[in-house]
Amino acid sequence: YCFTDIEMEYKVTLNIYDLSPSNKYLYSLGLGFYHTGVEVNGKEYTFGGSPEMLSTGVFDHEPLALEQDYYRGSVEIGKLSGLSHFYKVLSEIKQDFPANEYHILNNNCNHFSDEFCRRLVGTGIPGYINRLAKMGSC
């Protein structure tokens, strides 16, 4: 029996990194400064940029390979049946997250991860991940 891509399941995993030593204390309060990436099929996707950049802000790298950040943990968000939906969503979200629209409070890597997960599997990221950014943008 031969399995096709449609029959295979692929995990959608959120990788979470601490951006500040203060997370050691803030985490228990449901707060913190975090970076996130969404891992699918052996690659981690995230978002960043600056006003001068004219390309997409979405990029991929080897999972858990961000040296400047401290890895906190991973959360399985859901599963995909096959990769065709994934590639369609990836193509669309690259257009929706240009690098020059990155903003530390209002449009950051966590906003991207939440939207990417929702489009892929219908579930967003845990609320505590971007809580401080939401509070700061008020």
Side-chain angles (χ1 to χ4, degrees):
Y1 187 78
C2 180
F3 289 95
T4 65
D5 178 58
I6 300 293
E7 296 164 335
M8 294 185 65
E9 282 194 338
Y10 297 87
K11 288 182 186 179
V12 175
T13 303
L14 181 73
N15 294 328
I16 306 163
Y17 305 86
D18 285 326
L19 290 178
S20 170
S22 65
N23 283 1
K24 182 174 164 183
Y25 310 103
L26 294 171
Y27 180 75
S28 64
L29 301 172
L31 299 170
F33 301 97
Y34 302 101
H35 169 76
T36 57
V38 178
E39 182 179 343
V40 178
N41 194 31
K43 286 187 179 178
E44 185 171 332
Y45 299 85
T46 193
F47 171 67
S50 69
E52 306 82 36
M53 296 176 69
L54 299 177
S55 62
T56 181
V58 177
F59 60 95
D60 65 77
H61 55 82
E62 183 179 326
L64 311 179
L66 298 180
E67 295 176 25
Q68 73 271 22
D69 302 326
Y70 176 76
Y71 173 69
R72 171 165 285 280
S74 298
V75 176
E76 186 177 317
I77 302 295
K79 293 184 179 174
L80 293 168
S81 295
L83 291 174
S84 58
H85 175 66
F86 166 76
Y87 288 118
K88 179 180 182 290
V89 169
L90 179 60
S91 176
E92 293 168 353
I93 207 160
K94 281 183 174 183
Q95 295 174 11
D96 295 341
F97 280 83
N100 61 0
E101 291 185 11
Y102 178 88
H103 187 276
I104 191 115
L105 296 177
N106 300 320
N107 197 33
N108 61 38
C109 60
N110 302 317
H111 292 100
F112 164 79
S113 292
D114 187 61
E115 183 65 22
F116 197 25
C117 288
R118 287 181 190 282
R119 291 186 193 187
L120 288 173
V121 295
T123 303
I125 67 174
Y128 76 90
I129 299 287
N130 219 20
R131 190 167 287 139
L132 276 181
K134 287 177 186 172
M135 291 168 63
S137 66
C138 294

